[in-house]
Amino acid sequence: FPYTTLFRSKKESISVQEGVAMLKRMAEQDDTISHDTALYRLGEYYWHIKNFKESRNYWNQLLLKYGKSEKYPSPWVSAAKEKLRLIDSDVD
């Protein structure tokens, strides 16, 4: 499972739960440069554990905040849309 090795601190690996908690903290701070990445990765994490409701939640936040209406859209938007189309039929 890729998330067991994805989250690393400078000296040692951290648990998946700690990594998810860090991503959630980053996702709450919408004024940071990592906000869009945190939203995408949280959606991806929940996708992998088959919690599609949470995936949809984080990816929809990403689309609302960084989609077409933004001057500089996030590179994660298109990837999130592709995944959302597999869950929902109303994704444009």
Side-chain angles (χ1 to χ4, degrees):
F1 188 71
Y3 289 98
T4 56
T5 58
L6 177 65
F7 305 110
R8 294 197 180 273
S9 66
K10 288 183 180 180
K11 294 185 180 183
E12 61 188 52
S13 293
I14 59 175
S15 73
V16 173
Q17 291 80 14
E18 290 171 315
V20 170
M22 285 188 336
L23 283 172
K24 285 182 178 181
R25 285 191 299 275
M26 290 168 32
E28 291 171 357
Q29 301 170 352
D30 66 351
D31 59 344
T32 64
I33 63 169
S34 57
H35 183 249
D36 62 332
T37 301
L39 291 172
Y40 179 76
R41 293 296 183 191
L42 281 165
E44 190 176 47
Y45 167 74
Y46 284 109
W47 173 272
H48 284 288
I49 64 168
K50 297 181 180 11
N51 184 338
F52 302 119
K53 181 180 177 183
E54 283 299 312
S55 291
R56 186 181 300 118
N57 170 42
Y58 286 109
W59 288 335
N60 279 328
Q61 287 180 57
L62 175 68
L63 296 182
L64 287 171
K65 176 91 175 152
Y66 300 100
K68 322 179 219 188
S69 63
E70 284 298 307
K71 186 175 180 179
Y72 303 105
S74 168
W76 296 112
V77 168
S78 62
K81 278 184 180 182
E82 285 181 37
K83 294 279 192 172
L84 278 169
R85 283 186 189 110
L86 298 172
I87 302 171
D88 283 332
S89 59
D90 350 344
V91 177
D92 61 4

